[in-house]
Amino acid sequence: MSTQTQIPAAARTDDHAFAVWAAEQAGARLLQVREEGLEGKALKDAGDAAAQELLAALLAEHRPEDKVLSEEAMDDKSRLDARRVWIIDPLDGTREFSEPPRDDWAVHVALWVDGDLAAGAVAQPALGETFSTALPSVVPPRTSERPRIAVSRSRPPAFVEALAAELDAELVPMGSAGVKVMSVVRDVADAYVHAGGQYEWDNAAPVAVARAAGLFCSRVDGADLVYNKDDVQLPDLIVCRPELAEEIIDFVKRHGVG
């Protein structure tokens, strides 16, 4: 398939602009799918397929030399020898997408270059916003007296509840991983701490955006987040305001995440 709209001039050569444009194109397609009368699993499957098809086509047309790692496609291991790899999650928060009018789902588009994340965009189509490394967000001073920790709306980990008790923090439930990371960028939350299992595509684009906004990002033990690995599991992470990082890592080192 060809692109549905003309690619902006900047996106032809600028990877930050391309990430934004691609994420927004997929987001627009997902909003269309939501209006097609499907429900439940049929809506989830249609959304996953439509966004994957569109992003794959955009990347093949406009970044044909680059490799791609996607949740919705076979893993081409030739990416391990590539200099440039796009790491995408065409629809993050499939459950929330299938429950209109929920807006806590997202499209993730990240670029890894020579060992680290180089660009990223997280589109929240139902919110009408895209967060990116093209125009990094400026996180304002914290507006809440108590720290706020973003957690899964269905299964907050027990260790996060214990962390919240130690920090006198408030738990803020919401959907997809990308939305939780963006909640810290948006000053809806002050931290997102996760240890329940994720993959590179779940957090590559959100981490790229969060880093650009000046937030702290690491594994739960403080180690670096590493992408484009043979094993794409990336089971835990912390994204938070820098002033909270030491307390959170110290808690994990003392108590673990079990």
Side-chain angles (χ1 to χ4, degrees):
M1 63 180 286
S2 61
T3 55
Q4 295 181 334
T5 60
Q6 184 72 22
I7 184 172
R12 293 184 182 279
T13 55
D14 184 283
D15 291 321
H16 303 277
F18 179 81
V20 171
W21 178 69
E24 290 181 344
Q25 291 296 299
R29 180 70 186 98
L30 285 164
L31 290 175
Q32 292 176 345
V33 172
R34 246 189 172 187
E35 299 299 319
E36 292 173 0
L38 301 172
E39 295 181 355
K41 186 177 185 303
L43 179 53
K44 293 177 183 179
D45 292 346
D48 281 334
Q52 169 63 28
E53 180 183 17
L54 180 56
L55 286 175
L58 294 179
L59 287 163
E61 182 171 351
H62 299 291
R63 296 294 190 273
E65 302 303 316
D66 297 349
K67 300 299 182 180
V68 182
L69 171 63
S70 172
E71 179 178 19
E72 300 301 328
M74 291 289 292
D75 184 1
D76 178 359
K77 294 293 187 178
S78 66
R79 65 180 172 78
L80 296 172
D81 298 316
R83 288 192 57 240
R84 292 168 51 92
V85 180
W86 292 90
I87 303 175
I88 64 172
D89 189 343
L91 174 52
D92 183 57
T94 311
R95 173 182 170 183
E96 288 74 22
F97 170 77
S98 72
E99 299 175 359
R102 294 195 70 96
D103 62 19
D104 49 345
W105 51 277
V107 178
H108 298 177
V109 178
L111 174 64
W112 175 97
V113 179
D114 290 337
D116 206 357
L117 299 174
V122 177
Q124 289 188 237
L127 196 65
E129 293 199 52
T130 301
F131 306 91
S132 75
T133 56
L135 291 170
S137 300
V138 177
V139 180
R142 201 170 90 199
T143 57
S144 63
E145 292 185 11
R146 300 171 63 200
R148 300 157 298 176
I149 302 177
V151 294
S152 169
R153 65 188 180 107
S154 58
R155 52 188 185 284
F159 90 94
V160 175
E161 295 180 340
L163 171 65
E166 179 160 313
L167 299 182
D168 188 29
E170 171 189 0
L171 296 180
V172 184
M174 61 188 72
S176 83
V179 168
K180 293 187 189 79
V181 176
M182 292 309 100
S183 74
V184 188
V185 173
R186 296 170 57 211
D187 189 34
V188 174
D190 302 301
Y192 171 43
V193 186
H194 179 81
Q198 287 185 3
Y199 294 88
E200 291 187 17
W201 47 73
D202 290 313
N203 57 56
V207 164
V209 173
R211 283 179 180 172
L215 295 169
F216 175 85
C217 304
S218 78
R219 300 287 298 268
V220 292
D221 62 357
D224 291 340
L225 293 158
V226 180
Y227 295 90
N228 195 36
K229 305 185 308 299
D230 184 30
D231 180 355
V232 296
Q233 293 183 88
L234 194 55
D236 55 75
L237 83 160
I238 297 169
V239 177
C240 67
R241 290 177 173 273
E243 65 268 22
L244 294 175
E246 187 174 341
E247 286 182 280
I248 293 172
I249 293 169
D250 178 66
F251 175 89
V252 172
K253 286 182 176 177
R254 284 186 286 114
H255 299 283
V257 296

